[in-house]
Amino acid sequence: MDALEQSSTLWEVVIAVSIFLSTYAIVISEKINRAIIALAGALLMILFGLVDIHTAYTKHIEWETLFLLIGMMILVGITNRSGLFQYIAIKAAQRAKGDPVKILVTLALLTAVGSAFIDNVTTVLLIVPITFSITKLLKLNPIPFLITEIIVCNIGGAATLIGDPPNIMIGTAADLSFNQFLVTMTPIVIVILVVVMFYLKWLYGRQLVVNEMDKAQLMKIDPRSFIKDAALMKKSLFVFALTIIGFLVHRFFHIEPAVIAFSGATLLMLIGTKEHDLEEVFHSVEWVTIFFFAGLFVLVGGLIEVGVIGQLASAVVNVTEGDIALTSILILWVAGIASALIDNIPLVATMIPMVMEMGVQLDVPNETLHPIWWSLALGACLGGNGTLIASSANLIVAGISAREGTRISFIEFLKIGMPITLISMAMATVYVYLVLL
């Protein structure tokens, strides 16, 4: 009987891994819409009995993440109708005198800072519409700007407790405060950001050329002419301010970010949208991205249910034999590489219990495990630049870009994102070893 049970378990593992790898390969090939193939893979996990449908709903699908995305998409969609983003775009481009390199750096800094103090998903939802407005005006290829924003958003999100969902999860589990994240993570994030920006400037500098006539036309434009609805703009700014304040103080009131985002969206729909415009508002939601996430959560849930991810996490502990320094470095690279392949939220959710269990087995205080927690946070965030499907922000940008008629291919992003990931991880490794251990 035991042999039969082991055989059954082995076959479950084989089927789960086969479904996951096949789905992932098709997503990379980009021959089928990623939402459709992710949902198909999730459905196979359920049909083969690897994931119970109730468990998928209640445990594996991160509803908070999905509702946070939907709420912010609605907020951005309504605000975009006022012309605010176009106004900001023109003002920013004029401040940079139409210099595309200066515009690239300005948008990158805005993205990095926004990702640290709001969250990376919300930040790209705000920045990407502005980016398209500027690049259309100056007749520039938006791809360098969008890829740069993806990369700096994942790096900037690592700086604070609220910058990236994995940080919130780690901070809660390890009882790490906002100030601890700020003091420990921000220094290395700034150093990595500076190095990466120089690399991207070198990489894209020659492509960022603007015709002098387009520059001259830009400087003549009155930004206020792009405001389509001043009343809606004021209402949008008011609601956005409330929403951002909510994100900053949500822990004090024990309100989830998803609730804050949906509250902001609902309030703006109530005070800023007429009933006959609601259908257009709901069209502003990137449903392809939402359904892709839902499918991806269930796919990874299948690997969790059959024990694949848990076994991989346990293997890390066995290899290091409890050595904190070696474990920290290994966790950093395992989290970084794994986060490049699967979404970092379910990955971190799986690795947190493993780190906590290691602390129990080694009988050490929580403070001793701090280098491991910081390594997990760095790896999960920096690994988000490895591939186009590695983080929520990447997929959001790709989805908006596709709607605008500009497709970011998986391979195109991989060629730029993977080297940057390896450089960032190497710098983080030095930091962990020399400063945190």
Side-chain angles (χ1 to χ4, degrees):
M1 178 67 72
D2 289 342
L4 182 61
E5 288 177 353
Q6 291 174 2
S7 175
S8 174
T9 303
L10 175 62
W11 275 110
E12 288 177 349
V13 171
V14 170
I15 293 170
V17 171
S18 298
I19 292 172
F20 180 83
L21 293 179
S22 299
T23 303
Y24 190 77
I26 298 172
V27 169
I28 293 175
S29 72
E30 299 180 329
K31 292 183 178 179
I32 302 177
N33 181 283
R34 66 177 185 273
I36 296 174
I37 192 60
L39 290 173
L43 183 60
L44 287 174
M45 288 285 191
I46 293 169
L47 290 175
F48 277 101
L50 304 174
V51 181
D52 177 73
I53 186 69
H54 179 73
T55 304
Y57 280 137
T58 58
K59 178 181 176 182
H60 297 302
I61 296 178
E62 295 282 345
W63 292 107
E64 290 179 10
T65 301
L66 297 183
F67 278 100
L68 172 63
L69 290 174
I70 293 171
M72 292 310 301
M73 286 174 178
I74 291 173
L75 267 176
V76 171
I78 296 174
T79 305
N80 192 46
R81 291 162 55 86
S82 72
L84 175 63
F85 296 130
Q86 291 82 354
Y87 172 82
I88 295 173
I90 299 300
K91 291 290 287 186
Q94 288 179 340
R95 286 281 182 91
K97 305 297 184 185
D99 184 333
V101 174
K102 289 181 180 178
I103 293 171
L104 179 76
V105 173
T106 300
L107 291 175
L109 290 176
L110 285 172
T111 303
V113 173
S115 297
F117 291 100
I118 309 173
D119 70 80
N120 51 17
V121 170
T122 304
T123 301
V124 296
L125 284 168
L126 295 172
I127 293 292
V128 171
I130 295 172
T131 302
F132 271 106
S133 297
I134 293 175
T135 53
K136 286 177 182 177
L137 188 68
L138 294 175
K139 300 175 184 175
L140 286 166
N141 179 10
I143 295 294
F145 294 86
L146 298 174
I147 290 180
T148 296
E149 288 159 10
I150 289 174
I151 288 167
V152 300
C153 132
N154 287 317
I155 296 172
T160 67
L161 176 68
I162 61 174
D164 208 2
N167 285 9
I168 297 174
M169 297 162 66
I170 292 168
T172 302
D175 195 27
L176 298 170
S177 70
F178 184 92
N179 289 337
Q180 284 177 294
F181 263 88
L182 201 63
V183 170
T184 306
M185 299 285 277
T186 302
I188 184 59
V189 165
I190 291 173
V191 174
I192 291 172
L193 192 62
V194 170
V195 172
V196 167
M197 282 308 303
F198 273 108
Y199 175 76
L200 289 168
K201 184 181 176 182
W202 169 80
L203 187 68
Y204 287 129
R206 294 180 181 178
Q207 299 180 33
L208 303 178
V209 180
V210 174
N211 186 291
E212 290 299 323
M213 290 182 62
D214 291 329
K215 279 188 182 181
Q217 289 289 349
L218 168 70
M219 301 309 294
K220 292 179 183 177
I221 294 174
D222 180 6
R224 290 172 296 183
S225 65
F226 284 83
I227 301 297
K228 303 172 187 174
D229 188 334
L232 178 59
M233 183 185 73
K234 291 175 183 177
K235 293 174 183 177
S236 298
L237 287 170
F238 171 71
V239 174
F240 256 115
L242 289 179
T243 305
I244 291 171
I245 292 170
F247 284 140
L248 293 175
V249 301
H250 74 94
R251 289 193 73 196
F252 299 107
F253 297 97
H254 306 288
I255 302 174
E256 296 300 325
V259 176
I260 292 168
F262 231 78
S263 298
T266 303
L267 176 60
L268 191 53
M269 283 191 287
L270 284 172
I271 67 175
T273 307
K274 297 177 181 177
E275 187 172 351
H276 58 79
D277 293 327
L278 280 176
E279 187 173 343
E280 186 179 340
V281 169
F282 288 124
H283 275 303
S284 66
V285 176
E286 297 289 334
W287 293 110
V288 170
T289 301
I290 298 300
F291 281 107
F292 175 75
F293 271 124
L296 186 64
F297 285 138
V298 177
L299 274 169
V300 176
L303 297 184
I304 293 173
E305 290 296 321
V306 300
V308 171
I309 293 180
Q311 286 296 320
L312 290 174
S314 299
V316 173
V317 180
N318 294 331
V319 167
T320 61
E321 297 182 346
D323 183 273
I324 298 297
L326 184 57
T327 302
S328 297
I329 301 301
L330 191 56
I331 288 289
L332 172 66
W333 282 91
V334 168
I337 293 170
S339 293
L341 301 175
I342 61 175
D343 189 86
N344 54 17
I345 294 174
L347 173 74
V348 169
T350 304
M351 296 190 75
I352 282 174
M354 182 270 291
V355 176
M356 297 178 74
E357 177 62 25
M358 191 181 73
V360 172
Q361 292 180 12
L362 296 176
D363 192 25
V364 295
N366 186 47
E367 290 76 15
T368 305
L369 299 177
H370 279 185
I372 300 176
W373 291 120
W374 299 128
S375 296
L376 177 58
L378 283 167
C381 294
L382 298 177
N385 285 326
T387 65
L388 192 58
I389 64 170
S391 82
S392 307
N394 303 17
L395 291 165
I396 294 298
V397 176
I400 298 174
S401 180
R403 176 173 287 187
E404 293 286 340
T406 304
R407 191 172 67 89
I408 304 174
S409 76
F410 187 94
I411 299 300
E412 180 181 18
F413 184 85
L414 184 69
K415 290 178 180 177
I416 298 166
M418 188 55 73
I420 287 175
T421 298
L422 296 176
I423 293 169
S424 303
M425 299 269 297
M427 295 173 67
T429 301
V430 173
Y431 179 73
V432 168
Y433 186 76
L434 295 180
V435 179
L436 301 184
L437 289 172

